[in-house]
Amino acid sequence: MSTKVLMVCLGNICRSPLAEGVFRHLAEGQNFMVDSAGTANYHTGAAPDHRSIAVAAKNGIDISNQKARLLTYNDIEVFDHILVMDEQNLLD
C-alpha cells in the first residue's frame, strides 16, 4: 500500500504543482502517490505557471504536464498527508 500525499495551495498553478514535482522526484522508486490541488477553482484544468515550470526544469524536474484541480472533500479521505503551502490555505 502506498502512502498518499497531497500538496495544496490557492490556485494549484504555482506552489503546489512545484511541491508535487519536487516530492515526486525525490520519492522516485519509493512507495508514494503524490498529487496537488487548489482551494479555489481559478485555474482548473490549466498547466502550471510558466515560472514554476521553468524553476522545476532548471532543477531537472518536468511539471509541464500537470493540470490544476480543485481540492475536494474526498481528498481528505483518500490522502494520508495533506501539506498546505501557507496558513490561509490551511484555514480554507
Side-chain angles (χ1 to χ4, degrees), residues 16-62:
S16 57
L18 191 53
E20 175 189 347
V22 169
F23 191 102
R24 188 181 306 277
H25 177 76
L26 293 174
E28 189 172 335
Q30 298 179 44
N31 203 15
F32 286 98
M33 190 280 265
V34 63
D35 195 6
S36 61
T39 58
N41 64 353
Y42 302 134
H43 305 287
T44 299
D49 183 273
H50 66 93
R51 294 166 291 191
S52 292
I53 292 172
V55 166
K58 183 177 178 182
N59 290 280
I61 301 168
D62 182 10

Side-chain angles (χ1 to χ4, degrees), residues 40-83:
N41 64 353
Y42 302 134
H43 305 287
T44 299
D49 183 273
H50 66 93
R51 294 166 291 191
S52 292
I53 292 172
V55 166
K58 183 177 178 182
N59 290 280
I61 301 168
D62 182 10
I63 65 169
S64 63
N65 292 321
Q66 293 181 23
K67 298 292 180 211
R69 73 174 187 87
L70 184 62
L71 178 70
T72 67
Y73 286 107
N74 189 52
D75 289 330
I76 295 167
E77 298 297 322
V78 169
F79 288 91
D80 301 305
H81 303 281
I82 299 176
L83 307 176

